[in-house]
Amino acid sequence: MADGPPINTSEVKKKDLVTYVRESQIWNSIFRHGPPNNDRNRALAVITNVFLHLHPVRVRKSGLRLKYTWCMGGVTFFLFIVETITGLLLMFYYRPTVEYAYADIWDLREQVPLGVMRELHRWGAHAMVIAVWLHMFRVFMTGSYKPPREFNWNVGVILLVLTLMLSFTGYLLPWDQLAMWAITVGSNMARATPFLGYEGPGAALLSLGDVRLVNVGSDARFGLLAGRFVGAGALLRFYVLHCVALPLVVATLIAIHFWRVRKDGGISGPL
């Protein structure tokens, strides 16, 4: 009887271990298909991958060209992630009260380890506003607001407004003179909000007899500041809006925005 090639027992044990892991219940509960070594598994790998599934089935060549897209949408999303992470870290140290807000900002700059997070958050916010404006400008100039993308264009406009509101609500948190007077001027403009500001057009029409429903104590400015002046109530309200309410709405609309880009056939082509 002729001797065959020697059996590598370590290789056999390694293959048995790999087979055991791949056939285990834990592996099959996470991965729904085998290795992509045939057409069926390769198709399943694409279909079940959430990141690959975000992209449309067909992508225009222009949609991959940086000189056409400017990648401002991707840059904006990246900056939103940066703002979220740095903002969460800042929340461990910042207290939204009149007594501590200003001192906490200085401590974040001078005392707290990784205090550079505050500067990253600040400059990232400025960059995000610029990136959103450039993204909207590119979308408008390439006619990407036209059918079938008009719904997504409106979602983008709302995201632009919410980005500006995120920047506005974050302006008060340092609680210095610049922040207080900037918010005072900005919130005064809310008095001219149509139907919601007591000095705005249409507000006088909302009345019951001689009683105006929208007055100085119930209009948009009062709701924004939680009072008639910039004070402790305004600081807490801006903090909640900046850290919880607005980011949740923005994250939801970003998901819808991405989903619509895919459903509308990806990025539009040149005009």
Side-chain angles (χ1 to χ4, degrees):
M1 185 175 179
D3 293 335
I7 300 176
N8 190 333
T9 55
S10 62
E11 287 291 331
V12 173
K13 289 181 179 178
K14 184 179 179 180
K15 289 182 179 177
D16 290 341
L17 179 61
V18 172
T19 303
Y20 174 77
V21 171
R22 284 181 173 173
E23 293 179 353
S24 65
Q25 185 176 0
I26 296 176
W27 180 274
N28 290 321
S29 66
I30 301 173
F31 302 101
R32 299 296 185 182
H33 54 81
N37 51 10
N38 54 55
D39 291 344
R40 181 179 180 277
N41 284 343
R42 280 192 286 271
L44 288 173
V46 174
I47 293 172
T48 58
N49 189 304
V50 64
F51 297 105
L52 294 177
H53 202 61
L54 288 174
H55 292 278
V57 178
R58 301 176 62 185
V59 179
R60 296 171 181 265
K61 287 185 178 179
S62 59
L64 302 177
R65 293 172 182 164
L66 187 61
K67 66 178 182 180
Y68 177 74
T69 65
W70 301 353
C71 199
M72 283 297 114
V75 170
T76 302
F77 180 65
F78 171 75
L79 290 171
F80 177 72
I81 298 298
V82 171
E83 292 298 285
T84 302
I85 295 174
T86 55
L88 286 173
L89 293 175
L90 293 177
M91 290 173 68
F92 285 106
Y93 300 99
Y94 178 80
R95 289 166 289 184
T97 61
V98 174
E99 293 81 4
Y100 299 114
Y102 181 73
D104 286 349
I105 290 294
W106 271 104
D107 286 343
L108 280 167
R109 295 179 59 180
E110 305 294 339
Q111 307 292 336
V112 175
L114 297 178
V116 70
M117 287 294 170
R118 195 258 167 174
E119 299 303 322
L120 283 176
H121 193 78
R122 177 189 175 193
W123 289 107
H126 296 329
M128 184 174 171
V129 171
I130 296 173
V132 170
W133 276 111
L134 289 176
H135 179 58
M136 295 297 290
F137 177 73
R138 197 280 301 170
V139 170
F140 180 80
M141 295 304 293
T142 55
S144 300
Y145 55 86
K146 297 178 180 178
R149 297 177 175 82
E150 63 270 32
F151 173 80
N152 216 15
W153 165 258
N154 286 294
V155 173
V157 172
I158 296 173
L159 282 171
L160 169 64
V161 175
L162 291 176
T163 301
L164 298 178
M165 290 181 65
L166 276 171
S167 182
F168 179 68
T169 53
Y171 213 83
L172 183 63
L173 302 188
W175 199 244
D176 53 11
Q177 285 293 314
L178 178 62
M180 290 189 64
W181 288 112
I183 298 304
T184 299
V185 174
S187 60
N188 281 338
M189 292 190 289
R191 297 185 303 187
T193 306
F195 295 101
L196 297 178
Y198 79 97
E199 293 180 351
L205 301 176
L206 303 176
S207 61
L208 292 175
D210 295 333
V211 180
R212 294 184 57 171
L213 297 179
V214 179
N215 53 56
V216 69
S218 63
D219 68 340
R221 182 177 185 274
F222 188 89
L224 189 62
L225 299 181
R228 298 185 180 182
F229 306 99
V230 179
L235 179 60
L236 181 59
R237 188 155 296 192
F238 273 54
Y239 178 76
V240 174
L241 288 172
H242 184 74
C243 299
V244 181
L246 291 175
L248 286 176
V249 176
V250 169
T252 302
L253 290 178
I254 286 177
I256 295 174
H257 195 62
F258 286 168
W259 171 70
R260 287 301 306 189
V261 169
R262 183 185 188 283
K263 291 297 181 183
D264 293 339
I267 299 173
S268 64
L271 291 174

